[in-house]
Amino acid sequence: MMTARAQGVGFRSERGPILIALMLSTGLVAIDSTIVATAVPSIVRDVGGFSSFPWLFSAYLLAQAVSVPIYGKLSDMTGRKPIILTGIGLFLLGSVLCGLAWSMPSLIAFRALQGLGAGAVLPVSVTIAGDIYTLQERAKVQGYLASVWAVSSVVGPSLGGIFSALGIWRGIFLVNVPLCLLAGWMLVRTLHEDVERAKHKVDFAGAVLLAGSLGLLILGALQGGQAWAWNSPISIGVFAVGAVLLVAFLLVERRAAEPILPSWVVSRRLLATTTLVSFGVGSVMIGLTSYVPTYLEGALSSSPLVAGLALAALTLGWPLSASQAGKFYLRIGFKSTALIGITISVAGLLILSLTARSPNVALIAISCFVVGLGLGLLATPTLIAAQSSVPWHERGVVTSTNMFARSIGSALGVAVFGAVANSIYGASSGGDTDPATVVAASGAVFLAALAAGLLTVAAVLAMPAVKAGDAGKAKEQPVPSSAENSPN
């Protein structure tokens, strides 16, 4: 083990090959997050199941969410490399099966398998970056990682729109195959670790209870008012059992030798508040990425490509501001930077909500871009603040918890937003084919996303005012020998 120290940031530095591998790994999740939403209308036309399409996102996000804490814990136990390679393998298998799906239920099931892979890929990539770069270097590294999201924000929706227009939506999943193979090959060649082995006990009971509780709660939120009435016995039963399992999970975590969600994660104010912020970020993001394409295609009959490019403004604004976030938090601190970010995002959500009744592609794109700018200045400093406050052996858990909260925010968000939209579709005689109904349903979702943004403001205000220098002081953690790209 050794300590991270400044060695230069870039492709030609000693850690350059690892950085490239991390960018490729991040690209898997980045492209997938934008390419699927654009193709939803085409998928529904081919395999049916419009009322179930939110599960294309919630199944993926739920699988990702419940697996993230386990992967984080395992990465602290066994090292980062075997975990991220496992994630890439699962993502590859899920992508191939999605491309072969024959129905909406089968596609949803294979999306869940993809989610299990993504649960390892993104958080472990971020953890590795936190391992091998110092606090000051991470400000520059964000520019490289953000560029992946910037490229994906254009490539993803564009590919999704093109494949949809050509009637070959299955291609949106098969493009992952070469990316997975290249990312895995690069990591095998460049990432070498020297991890001290010790006996550990994985909290499988906690993982099962967490998955069961969240699955039932999301099922109740998504199907309530559609498959059954909110006050029906089955609805009450689903929520009740989900709540009981959640309580059981909390009790098990208190007694587990090595819980997947240690109590110190929520007992430390900085970690608790940044986790809540991440939850809000996930909710806002999924509200827009899930419904902006449907809104534009249903209300204005826009092509999938146009709708995808409008959505790209959101995922383009995020990396642009994230790449500059380091300049802000190194000067004015994490909390102040996050406050600027959430203020910008709320302003964009407010514009989007107020203008939803008058569909306009340009205005939607501008609003999404503003929201993305704010989220970049919000998500980046809060995650780095959390990472910088803990030593190496806790960083995997902290990073995975932050990502877990974002995934749960997205999973619950898509369920709640889906319930809101479906209730409006169900009450209309025109259903999802009536432009006026699409406008009303999408407008309600945008208002719900605004509410999530306002709640996130409270979480940011509750953050302790920690300066970047104070967070990193005495916390420059020991990292595996991969920090210098050492040989095996």
Side-chain angles (χ1 to χ4, degrees), residues 241-427:
V241 175
V244 169
L245 291 179
L246 184 59
V247 172
F249 164 74
L250 296 175
L251 293 176
V252 167
E253 293 302 274
R254 293 180 61 183
R255 299 181 178 182
E258 296 187 62
I260 59 174
L261 286 179
S263 59
W264 53 261
V265 173
V266 294
S267 63
R268 301 176 189 176
R269 183 179 168 189
L270 177 62
L271 298 182
T273 52
T274 52
T275 298
L276 290 174
V277 169
S278 188
F279 181 93
V281 169
S283 300
V284 170
M285 278 291 292
I286 201 64
L288 301 190
T289 56
S290 298
Y291 285 93
V292 164
T294 302
Y295 169 66
L296 291 177
E297 292 180 43
L300 295 177
S301 297
S302 300
S303 68
L305 180 58
V306 171
L309 291 176
L311 177 61
L314 172 69
T315 47
L316 181 60
W318 180 320
L320 286 177
S321 60
S323 64
Q324 302 301 312
K327 297 179 181 179
F328 286 88
Y329 67 68
L330 289 174
R331 177 170 299 192
I332 64 176
F334 297 114
K335 180 176 181 177
S336 297
T337 304
L339 278 174
I340 294 173
I342 188 58
T343 300
I344 294 174
S345 289
V346 167
L349 289 168
L350 181 60
I351 296 172
L352 187 63
S353 301
L354 292 176
T355 59
R357 295 287 178 177
S358 303
N360 181 286
V361 175
L363 188 58
I364 292 296
I366 293 172
S367 299
C368 287
F369 182 75
V370 172
V371 173
L373 282 177
L375 292 179
L377 289 176
L378 174 65
T380 300
T382 51
L383 172 60
I384 292 180
Q387 283 187 328
S388 301
S389 67
V390 296
W392 184 90
H393 67 275
E394 293 180 345
R395 190 180 291 126
V397 169
V398 166
T399 305
S400 66
T401 300
N402 190 280
M403 296 295 180
F404 166 74
R406 187 182 301 180
S407 297
I408 290 298
S410 295
L412 291 179
V414 77
V416 172
F417 298 151
V420 170
N422 285 339
S423 65
I424 296 177
Y425 287 129

Side-chain angles (χ1 to χ4, degrees), residues 70-295:
I70 300 175
Y71 289 131
K73 187 68 177 180
L74 289 175
S75 74
D76 282 343
M77 295 177 180
T78 65
R80 323 300 189 200
K81 184 174 182 177
I83 305 305
I84 192 171
L85 290 177
T86 298
I88 291 174
L90 290 174
F91 196 87
L92 172 62
L93 178 60
S95 297
V96 172
L97 291 175
C98 282
L100 300 175
W102 56 89
S103 64
M104 183 62 76
S106 66
L107 183 57
I108 290 172
F110 299 145
R111 282 284 287 167
L113 182 58
Q114 266 192 314
L116 289 177
V121 172
L122 186 57
V124 178
S125 295
V126 174
T127 303
I128 293 172
D131 288 342
I132 68 175
Y133 292 104
T134 65
L135 177 62
Q136 289 70 27
E137 289 175 329
R138 287 172 214 162
K140 298 179 181 179
V141 171
Q142 286 302 316
Y144 287 91
L145 296 179
S147 68
V148 175
W149 291 92
V151 172
S152 300
S153 68
V154 177
V155 173
S158 299
L159 284 177
I162 292 172
F163 285 138
S164 297
L166 295 176
I168 51 174
W169 59 265
R170 298 176 188 276
I172 69 175
F173 298 107
L174 298 181
V175 296
N176 293 327
V177 174
L179 288 177
C180 286
L181 294 176
L182 182 58
W185 178 73
M186 286 288 294
L187 285 167
V188 169
R189 288 197 59 190
T190 63
L191 181 60
H192 307 289
E193 296 181 301
D194 182 16
V195 181
E196 296 179 3
R197 305 296 178 182
K199 290 185 178 180
H200 297 279
K201 186 175 182 180
V202 181
D203 181 21
F204 289 110
V208 171
L209 289 171
L210 182 62
S213 63
L214 291 177
L216 288 173
L217 292 174
I218 293 174
L219 175 66
L222 188 60
Q223 297 299 316
Q226 296 298 311
W228 52 70
W230 287 108
N231 58 353
S232 66
I234 187 172
S235 180
I236 296 173
V238 167
F239 281 114
V241 175
V244 169
L245 291 179
L246 184 59
V247 172
F249 164 74
L250 296 175
L251 293 176
V252 167
E253 293 302 274
R254 293 180 61 183
R255 299 181 178 182
E258 296 187 62
I260 59 174
L261 286 179
S263 59
W264 53 261
V265 173
V266 294
S267 63
R268 301 176 189 176
R269 183 179 168 189
L270 177 62
L271 298 182
T273 52
T274 52
T275 298
L276 290 174
V277 169
S278 188
F279 181 93
V281 169
S283 300
V284 170
M285 278 291 292
I286 201 64
L288 301 190
T289 56
S290 298
Y291 285 93
V292 164
T294 302
Y295 169 66

